[in-house]
Structures are given as structure tokens and as C-alpha cells.
Amino acid sequence: MWFSFSIFSLAQLSLAAQSVLAAQYNGYHSFYSFDSNYFHAPRWMTALIDTANLTSLSIPGTHDTMTSAINGPTFQCQNHHLGTQLESGLRFFDIRARLNNNELLIYHQDEYTQHSYTDVLTTFFKFLDNNPGETILMRLKEESTAINSTIDFLTAFNYYRLNDTKTAPGCTKHFWLPPFPGPTTVPTLGELRSKILILQNFGSDPAEYGIKWESPLLAIQDDYEVSDLYEGLDGKFEAIKGGLWGAGNGTRDGDGRLYLGHLSGSVGVLPIECAAGTRDGNVTGMNDRTGQFLKAGNGGKTGVVIIDFPGKELVEEVLSRNRCMDSRQKQVGYF
């Protein structure tokens, strides 16, 4: 009896400790959300071998990356700025640029994030200059329709890439360009050191500046329409688990595809509710469900895990899947 009571008490204490340790933001509490800034992993890729293909890695990233300065819960998906995300080990970034008076500014739908494409690029370039063994994946999406502009998106993109004095030198140094339009394989980590791989969500096929977002090289789970906080979130989590199992199986079988799974959702729920659950704790969000799923040892390599309001425990669970063996078959770390 004493033994059973002790086990039960320990379990209660463990749950209580997690509740106390859970990060909070705007009244929401979540053990796997909000506090990725307390996780420091600026060079986790540097320790990995050059021959590793990007498709064999477990990579944490953010959805609607630049939204931390947005006021209100409808369009805000992050609570830390880009520099902090990079230092925390996040390596996939969802950048949505909209033409406004011939300048590329960062939006979430029609909501301006207070950031420009120049801000994004210069932050990336500074990070890669300081951490040349790392790689950045940037989904660059043409967001919404242009405002008061006389050029198209592709012309603007190439102006920043080739002519703008603030960004062109960094683009020349850090953009990975495929050897021919429409690449047929995902490059290795060695090919991508100190580079930005553009997942090109603009322009037509074949992709000239990276890998097309709609490419068969990418396997994307993005069930973002969540009908409600109950069955809707349950269905979303089934999609997440399916994507994680698929990534693990695809990586194991060497199918050559880069798996990208979104934990994010909206359309029926707020992004913060999908990530962290309800304020009263009656509904568990996708970050906690996914963190618990991974912590229990489920799946294999995760592919790219794309997160709203990521927490340090979730980032660490994803990165822990990259522990590998060196040439002498000794385990090496991931950062």
C-alpha cells in the first residue's frame, strides 16, 4: 500500500512540477511553448557530418516567423523575434513578403508585421557569418496582392538579390542556387553550409532559386483549418502524428523527400489556442501533445517541424533526434 501511494504521490508531484515550470504568455500556460529563448543551440548543425542529406535531419522551425510584434491574437503566431529564434536552434523560417510601394514588406495575410524583407535577410546574413557551419531553410511566399507597386514580385526579389546595396552582397555569399532550374535532389548539409535554401513559394516552375514549394521533393503536412477546440484539434493532432510517422519512415527508407509538418492551425481557433491549448487548461494544444508524443519515443527522424510559439522542451525534443555517430562510432552531440 505504501509503495502504491508513493508512486501515485510521485506522479502527482511530477505533474505539479510541470505545471509550475510551464511557460506562460498572455495568460496561456504550456510546458512546450513560449520559452524557446531559454534554449541555446546556435551551432547544432556544425557538429553534423557534411555528407548528411537535409532529408535525414530533424529540424525545428517557425510558422509565420515574423509575427511577434503583431498586436492581437488573430495574426500573432510567435512571441520571439528572428534573432532569438536562430540562437534557439530553429532553422526553418516561414517568410511572407508582400509588395508595398515596390518594397518587400513582411505580412501575415493583410496584417503588417512591422518588418521588411531587408530586416529578414540582414539578420540571416549576420547569423551565418557568425555561425558558418549552419544552414537556413527559408520558405519565401508571395503574400496577398501588391499595394501601389509598378513591378512584380520576381523583379523585386531579384533587385534585393542583385542590386540592393544592403542585401545583394549577402545574397551572393549566402543564397544556395541550384546547378540548374528545377533541382531533382535535396542538397547535402555540406553543400548548404553557410547558405540559405529557398523553398520557393513564388514564381513559376521550374524553380531557379531553390526548391519549389510544390515540388515532389517536399512532403508537406499543413492541415491548418481547425474547426473547433475539441474534435478539430483532435483531428489536427492525428494529421501531425501521421506526418511524423511518415517522416520517420521516409527518412529510414531513404526516399529523398524533405518532410515538413505544421503544428500550426487557425480558421476556427486562434493560433495560440492551437499551439498551447485553452487558458483554463481544459484543452491541450498541439505543442504539448507533440512534445509528449516525441518524449515518449514515438517515431524516428521528424523532418522539419513547423511551430507556433515554440518552447525550449519542444525544440530540444526535435533536435535530440539528430544525435549521431562519428567515424569511430562514438555518439556526438547535436549542438
Side-chain angles (χ1 to χ4, degrees):
M1 178 66 72
W2 177 86
F3 179 76
S4 299
F5 176 76
S6 297
I7 294 295
F8 179 69
S9 298
L10 286 172
Q12 282 188 314
L13 286 172
S14 175
L15 288 172
Q18 285 201 6
S19 177
V20 170
L21 293 172
Q24 72 87 25
Y25 180 73
N26 283 351
Y28 292 87
H29 294 76
S30 167
F31 188 66
Y32 289 94
S33 306
F34 306 130
D35 63 348
S36 60
N37 57 309
Y38 286 108
F39 190 70
H40 188 64
R43 295 190 173 185
W44 67 267
M45 286 179 159
T46 305
L48 303 180
I49 57 175
D50 280 350
T51 53
N53 195 284
L54 207 64
T55 61
S56 69
L57 302 183
S58 299
I59 301 172
T62 49
H63 161 258
D64 266 299
T65 296
M66 304 301 294
T67 56
S68 64
I70 288 179
N71 256 335
T74 303
F75 294 105
Q76 187 186 15
C77 301
Q78 305 301 327
N79 62 312
H80 295 296
H81 59 72
L82 180 58
T84 298
Q85 293 180 32
L86 284 158
E87 292 290 328
S88 301
L90 297 156
R91 292 292 176 271
F92 169 93
F93 303 96
D94 178 18
I95 304 301
R96 305 186 179 204
R98 184 181 189 181
L99 265 172
N100 188 328
N101 289 291
N102 294 336
E103 181 181 3
L104 289 179
L105 302 179
I106 309 303
Y107 278 76
H108 181 185
Q109 296 181 23
D110 290 328
E111 189 78 12
Y112 178 43
T113 68
Q114 311 302 317
H115 296 289
S116 69
Y117 182 53
T118 298
D119 296 335
V120 172
L121 292 182
T122 54
T123 302
F124 282 161
F125 299 156
K126 180 179 179 180
F127 178 80
L128 290 174
D129 285 339
N130 291 333
N131 303 281
E134 300 299 293
T135 293
I136 288 170
L137 288 73
M138 175 175 68
R139 176 197 183 185
L140 181 59
K141 180 179 185 289
E142 181 179 4
E143 188 82 340
S144 198
T145 55
I147 302 170
N148 299 327
S149 296
T150 57
I151 59 175
D152 62 17
F153 189 93
L154 190 58
T155 300
F157 169 81
N158 277 315
Y159 174 78
Y160 286 90
R161 186 173 72 91
L162 299 172
N163 304 113
D164 189 284
T165 57
K166 292 181 180 177
T167 59
C171 290
T172 300
K173 181 178 180 181
H174 292 297
F175 274 11
W176 179 85
L177 297 178
F180 50 83
T184 55
T185 59
V186 177
T188 65
L189 189 55
E191 294 173 285
L192 291 170
R193 299 283 189 196
S194 196
K195 299 294 184 182
I196 299 169
L197 172 61
I198 298 173
L199 302 182
Q200 190 179 325
N201 204 179
F202 63 92
S204 57
D205 281 325
E208 297 181 65
Y209 310 105
I211 296 175
K212 202 75 168 71
W213 184 250
E214 298 85 0
S215 167
L217 292 175
L218 307 184
I220 302 171
Q221 177 280 115
D222 188 15
D223 290 354
Y224 63 88
E225 293 189 9
V226 179
S227 58
D228 57 54
L229 285 168
Y230 304 99
E231 291 184 6
L233 284 184
D234 291 342
K236 170 66 178 177
F237 187 53
E238 289 303 311
I240 290 170
K241 288 192 295 183
L244 289 171
W245 284 117
N249 293 336
T251 301
R252 182 198 62 208
D253 297 339
D255 69 5
R257 294 198 294 172
L258 181 64
Y259 285 78
L260 301 102
H262 291 75
L263 307 193
S264 53
S266 56
V267 187
V269 299
L270 296 171
I272 196 169
E273 291 174 328
C274 185
T278 53
R279 279 196 174 102
D280 60 15
N282 286 335
V283 176
T284 302
M286 297 300 99
N287 291 2
D288 288 80
R289 296 192 205 191
T290 304
Q292 292 160 9
F293 175 84
L294 295 175
K295 196 172 186 66
N298 294 302
K301 294 295 179 65
T302 66
V304 182
V305 181
I306 304 168
I307 313 165
D308 282 348
F309 303 102
K312 62 183 180 66
E313 296 292 336
L314 182 52
V315 172
E316 185 168 21
E317 283 299 330
V318 174
L319 287 180
S320 69
R321 303 297 173 104
N322 292 309
R323 290 194 177 97
C324 62
M325 309 300 284
D326 69 10
S327 60
R328 295 159 297 177
Q329 295 300 295
K330 293 182 179 179
Q331 184 168 289
V332 296
Y334 52 85
F335 58 87

